[in-house]
């Protein structure tokens, strides 16, 4: 029997504008709010039309017969005008909608058997990947909440975003490398460099534990539920970036930075230069590079919007 939400939850209620003699409490101003929810579930990547070897080659350990599980985290983004109480929505109703339509149905469940779109015995069924699951969650919440974005974390180093654009999703992976650098322009004196870069211009350099987020975008495959081959994406980043940058002195060990100051901004741009074409060859587009130099400093690059000279 389908779940029936309370009448108050079936749509966003509008509240009468407050009287001119009363405080407005922000009435009518646009705002985006988010709500976080969690659930634990298992899944398996296996297609009956493929042989055991083909499934293993395509899905790796995710094809093992007993499946595997994750502690999922979903971030629900909603947009609307403030009501006379200073709220976009009543958060109790938001919480109940997410619970009724999503978490109560998925928590401690086997995703392949939860929702009909994940029935792979149906030729139109698809695997419950992170990308496919975030779209399925959107489709269940959009009737009740004014969604603008959904983010679903499968784990801290892997997540998917959906903005409601048909089958287009964003898949992000996170990795890291440790490297040293020195910020100095060779045509300037040491004194001049220190005036620009401060302590970062010291001749022996300094190091960081960099966090690298790589986000790709594309349409998910209607059968595999994947926007791209995750193993290939991870291998590209590992082989091209991590192997070259990890435990290096960037100014000396990466030829590009012999003539280009390795600021976080320039490192992020160079990573985008290096990854854009190889990533396109696996059928998706590089959407964003985020490089976190420290908890206080990060640089982001959106290749589709900038001239990366590639």
């Amino acid at each position: 029997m389908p779940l029936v939400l309370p009448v108050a939850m079936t749509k966003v209620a509008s509240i009468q504008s407050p009287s001119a003699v009363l405080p407005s409490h922000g009435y009518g101003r646009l705002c985006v709010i988010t709500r976080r929810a969690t659930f634990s579930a298992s899944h398996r990547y296996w297609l009956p039309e493929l042989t055991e070897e083909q499934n293993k080659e395509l899905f790796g350990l995710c094809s093992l017969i007993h499946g595997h599980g994750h502690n999922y985290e979903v971030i629900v983004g909603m947009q609307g005008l403030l009501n006379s109480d200073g709220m976009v929505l009543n958060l109790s109703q938001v919480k109940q909608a997410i619970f009724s339509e999503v978490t109560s149905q998925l928590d401690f469940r086997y995703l392949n058997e939860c929702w009909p779109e994940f029935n792979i015995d149906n030729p139109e069924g698809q695997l419950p990947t992170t990308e496919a699951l975030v779209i399925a969650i959107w489709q269940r919440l959009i009737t009740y909440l004014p969604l603008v974005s959904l983010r679903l974390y499968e784990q801290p180093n892997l997540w998917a975003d959906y903005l409601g654009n048909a089958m287009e999703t964003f898949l992000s992976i996170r990795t890291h490398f440790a490297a040293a650098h020195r910020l100095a322009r060779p045509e300037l004196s040491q004194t001049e460099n220190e005036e620009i870069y401060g302590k970062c211009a010291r001749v022996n350099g300094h190091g960081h534990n960099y966090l690298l987020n790589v986000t790709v975008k594309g349409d998910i495959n209607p059968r595999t539920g994947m926007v791209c081959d995750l193993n290939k994406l991870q291998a590209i980043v590992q082989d091209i970036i991590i192997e070259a940058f990890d435990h290096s002195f960037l100014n000396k060990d990466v030829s590009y930075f012999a003539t280009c100051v390795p600021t976080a901004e320039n490192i992020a741009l160079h990573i985008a230069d290096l990854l854009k074409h190889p990533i396109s060859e696996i059928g998706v587009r590089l959407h964003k590079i985020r490089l976190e130099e420290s908890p206080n400093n990060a640089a982001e690059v959106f290749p589709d919007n900038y001239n990366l000279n590639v």
Side-chain angles (χ1 to χ4, degrees):
M1 178 180 296
L3 292 168
V4 179
L5 296 176
V7 173
M9 197 183 303
T10 58
K11 64 179 181 179
V12 179
S14 61
I15 298 179
Q16 294 297 317
S17 175
S19 169
V21 298
L22 296 175
S24 68
H25 300 294
Y27 179 86
R29 302 191 71 182
L30 187 66
C31 188
V32 173
I33 62 172
T34 60
R35 177 73 186 186
R36 173 182 175 271
T38 61
F39 60 93
S40 299
S42 64
H43 59 175
R44 183 193 184 199
Y45 294 172
W46 178 274
L47 292 175
E49 64 267 26
L50 302 181
T51 66
E52 181 175 351
E53 287 303 314
Q54 289 172 326
N55 274 293
K56 184 177 180 180
E57 181 180 356
L58 184 57
F59 305 122
L61 295 176
C62 295
S63 67
L64 292 178
I65 190 168
H66 297 298
H68 62 285
H70 301 284
N71 294 318
Y72 290 92
E73 177 182 349
V74 59
I75 309 297
V76 182
M78 298 153 283
Q79 179 175 273
L81 302 177
L82 269 63
N83 60 27
S84 59
D85 297 318
M87 299 188 297
V88 172
L89 294 168
N90 184 303
L91 288 181
S92 294
Q93 294 179 3
V94 171
K95 180 180 178 180
Q96 180 61 26
I98 296 171
F99 175 78
S100 297
E101 293 301 298
V102 179
T103 57
S104 68
Q105 299 182 35
L106 300 182
D107 199 25
F108 285 85
R109 302 298 204 282
Y110 181 50
L111 295 176
N112 300 63
E113 298 177 353
C114 279
W115 288 342
E117 53 262 63
F118 300 137
N119 177 12
I120 57 172
D121 291 330
N122 182 338
E124 296 182 355
Q126 63 182 187
L127 294 174
T129 62
T130 308
E131 305 98 297
L133 187 55
V134 74
I135 294 179
I137 292 172
W138 176 288
Q139 291 169 342
R140 281 161 174 77
L141 290 178
I142 191 62
T143 301
Y144 307 104
L145 301 173
L147 301 179
V148 291
S149 66
L150 276 185
R151 172 169 290 185
L152 180 65
Y153 286 94
E154 184 176 281
Q155 52 184 292
N157 295 331
L158 176 65
W159 64 93
D161 291 279
Y162 185 62
L163 304 179
N165 299 324
M167 298 295 282
E168 183 184 70
T169 58
F170 301 80
L171 182 67
S172 297
I173 60 173
R174 173 177 292 167
T175 186
H176 62 89
F177 61 90
H181 67 166
R182 177 184 178 232
L183 304 186
R185 293 166 52 190
E187 69 272 19
L188 301 180
S189 68
Q190 180 63 23
T191 299
E192 290 172 321
N193 276 310
E194 289 181 357
E195 289 177 354
I196 298 171
Y197 303 112
K199 294 178 181 179
C200 296
R202 289 178 176 177
V203 292
N204 291 318
H206 63 283
H208 299 284
N209 292 317
Y210 291 92
L211 290 178
L212 173 63
N213 295 352
V214 178
T215 301
V216 301
K217 68 178 178 179
D219 291 346
I220 67 170
N221 183 289
R223 188 61 169 159
T224 67
M226 295 179 171
V227 70
C228 68
D229 187 319
L230 178 60
N231 290 329
K232 289 182 179 179
L233 175 61
Q234 292 171 325
I236 287 171
V237 176
Q238 178 67 31
D239 294 344
I240 296 176
I241 305 302
I242 306 305
E243 289 297 324
F245 286 26
D246 192 34
H247 285 75
S248 72
F249 193 141
L250 295 172
N251 305 64
K252 299 179 181 294
D253 297 324
V254 178
S255 59
Y256 180 81
F257 295 118
T259 57
C260 181
V261 181
T263 59
E265 299 93 321
N266 275 326
I267 299 170
L269 283 162
H270 186 50
I271 289 173
D273 287 342
L274 294 173
L275 292 181
K276 186 173 184 179
H277 179 66
I279 283 176
S280 71
E281 292 188 323
I282 62 171
V284 285
R285 301 188 302 280
L286 178 60
H287 173 68
K288 182 173 78 170
I289 293 295
R290 175 180 169 84
L291 183 69
E292 186 175 306
E293 185 177 82
S294 74
N296 298 326
N297 299 320
E300 294 187 351
V301 175
F302 294 83
D304 284 347
N305 299 329
Y306 292 87
N307 178 13
L308 298 179
N309 298 316
V310 294

